Amino acid sequence: MHSMLSNEPGGPETLIWSEQPDLSPKKGEILVSVRAAGVNFPDTLIIRDLYQVKPPRPFAPGGEVSGEVIAIGEGVTGYSLGDRVLALTGHGGFATQICVPANQAVKFPETMSYEEAAAFVFTYGTSYHALKDRASLAPGETLLVLGAAGGVGVAAIELGKAMGARVIAAVSTEEKAEFCLSVGADEALVYSREMNKADQKKFSSEIRELTGRSGVDVAYDAVGGDYAEPVLRSMAWQGRYLVVGFPAGIPKIPLNLPLLKGCDIRGVFWGASVFQDPKGHASNMAELQELFRSAKIRPRIHASLPMQRAAEALGIIERREVMGKVVLTNA
Ligand SMILES: NC(=O)c1ccc[n+]([C@@H]2O[C@H](COP(=O)([O-])OP(=O)(O)OC[C@H]3O[C@@H](n4cnc5c(N)ncnc54)[C@H](OP(=O)(O)O)[C@@H]3O)[C@@H](O)[C@H]2O)c1
């Protein structure tokens, strides 16, 4: 087998395509021949030791894969050789093979391609948990999505629409705004790529104009940094501000704002929720597959590259170019 190994902390250029002995599944595991791996923002952090999880080196990044079951460990039931599965892996997915606990994999519909399956669980799982379990988003409410053209952002647009919300997408370029409208957003706002005080004020007042000055019911913040405060200043009474991610840095928030707005700031940690509430996760996964079958959600593949070009794939995310998802494939 081959893996894209991180032997030392560093950027995408430090990953090396390396040969390793074939794997065999332990008790409770299945061995998957990886056909595609989804690329996510955390992959850019984990290789630099900047992510909350720090696997022992050498390791391959890659938190989600799709592929075929090629061996089944002792005690595993419900799988046959050749089954098409997608799986959450944490890391290790940028490889040709991976062993995963059988309960972290699910079979996926025939109508879903390997690339779509590899781009499914991480983003839709996160955004569904955020909007359904954390925000209790209700039909008719206004949802503002920051970084809306990125992986979790696009999923939040589609899921917000499927849940009956009015969705406002906020992004850094006109091209991304057009993309978000094509995905289903009702409106799009373009914010500055670097936020100063004047840009923050402008962003806040643009949000308030679009929401008839009553404000945003649910804000989905997968960007953080200087984008957070203007959004918090634009919340509706009893609004829910979801803390999802910090590609632009971890913001410091004046705590008078949630008081003045009578709103909540709610943390979203999907990875932990999967372990805290496995039953809820399983039913969310089943509901997401149903939403896919009924064409309400569909992963948007920005680029599909051979696994050996993982550094290029990570570069697309780091340069803030991604619209939808980047996936890596094995021939
Ligand atoms: N809480 C959870 O459970 C959970 C689960 C999954 C992911 N996350 C987090 O959610 C965030 C988004 O993940 P993702 O996979 O959707 O990432 P992504 O596809 O790269 O999207 C992130 C978006 O953030 C914006 N951005 C602003 N400043 C940036 C910067 N300096 N570098 C890169 N992007 C920047 C970009 O949009 P604009 O250019 O339009 O601003 C970009 O499209 C990450 O922080 C990730 O760790 C959290």
Side-chain angles (χ1 to χ4, degrees), residues 82-128:
D83 276 349
R84 289 151 43 95
V85 291
L86 58 84
L88 261 183
T89 56
H91 61 89
F94 294 181
T96 54
Q97 292 182 352
I98 189 165
C99 284
V100 289
N103 61 7
Q104 282 175 31
V106 284
K107 296 177 204 172
F108 60 89
E110 282 298 321
T111 50
M112 195 183 266
S113 69
Y114 281 109
E115 287 164 339
E116 287 171 334
F120 192 74
V121 66
F122 200 84
T123 47
Y124 289 105
T126 298
S127 294
Y128 202 39

Side-chain angles (χ1 to χ4, degrees), residues 62 82 93 105 114 198 209 214 241 311:
Y114 281 109
E209 262 162 44
S214 59
Y241 176 103

Side-chain angles (χ1 to χ4, degrees), residues 2-262:
H2 282 82
S3 299
M4 211 23 135
L5 287 185
S6 167
N7 295 294
E8 56 182 320
E13 70 289 349
T14 58
L15 297 176
I16 296 171
W17 187 242
S18 314
E19 190 166 7
Q20 292 174 290
D22 279 351
L23 303 174
S24 61
K26 295 195 197 80
K27 194 174 174 181
E29 291 183 340
I30 52 174
L31 175 61
V32 177
S33 169
V34 176
R35 295 288 290 269
V39 185
N40 295 290
F41 193 82
D43 297 318
T44 70
L45 302 176
I46 201 168
I47 58 175
R48 295 184 164 88
D49 285 354
L50 295 176
Y51 196 52
Q52 56 252 41
V53 180
K54 295 183 176 58
R57 286 199 165 74
F59 72 89
E64 59 179 339
V65 298
S66 66
E68 284 147 23
V69 177
I70 52 170
I72 298 172
E74 194 192 324
V76 173
T77 54
Y79 285 99
S80 307
L81 296 182
D83 276 349
R84 289 151 43 95
V85 291
L86 58 84
L88 261 183
T89 56
H91 61 89
F94 294 181
T96 54
Q97 292 182 352
I98 189 165
C99 284
V100 289
N103 61 7
Q104 282 175 31
V106 284
K107 296 177 204 172
F108 60 89
E110 282 298 321
T111 50
M112 195 183 266
S113 69
Y114 281 109
E115 287 164 339
E116 287 171 334
F120 192 74
V121 66
F122 200 84
T123 47
Y124 289 105
T126 298
S127 294
Y128 202 39
H129 168 63
L131 299 178
K132 178 188 156 190
D133 304 332
R134 300 299 291 135
S136 305
L137 179 67
E141 287 193 315
T142 300
L143 167 68
L144 172 71
V145 182
L146 296 194
V152 296
V154 172
I157 295 176
E158 288 183 296
L159 290 168
K161 287 308 296 174
M163 293 164 86
R166 172 187 174 218
V167 179
I168 303 172
V171 286
S172 64
T173 67
E174 289 291 347
E175 190 190 7
K176 287 184 178 185
E178 287 301 319
F179 170 72
C180 292
L181 293 170
S182 77
V183 166
D186 297 288
E187 273 109 3
L189 279 176
V190 178
Y191 50 58
S192 166
R193 220 177 131 93
E194 302 294 332
M195 277 270 177
N196 60 31
K197 284 273 172 220
D199 297 324
Q200 286 183 316
K201 264 197 162 160
K202 180 168 170 274
F203 185 36
S204 254
S205 73
E206 284 172 349
I207 297 169
R208 279 200 296 269
E209 262 162 44
L210 273 185
T211 52
R213 308 202 75 76
S214 59
V216 169
D217 297 306
V218 175
Y220 183 101
D221 182 4
V223 175
D226 293 332
Y227 300 87
E229 191 176 320
V231 173
L232 203 47
R233 287 186 185 279
S234 317
M235 296 303 295
W237 183 248
Q238 296 194 337
R240 287 86 74 204
Y241 176 103
L242 300 172
V243 181
V244 182
F246 316 110
I250 298 178
K252 289 197 169 59
I253 295 298
L255 269 184
N256 63 321
L257 291 178
L259 182 153
L260 292 171
K261 299 287 169 184

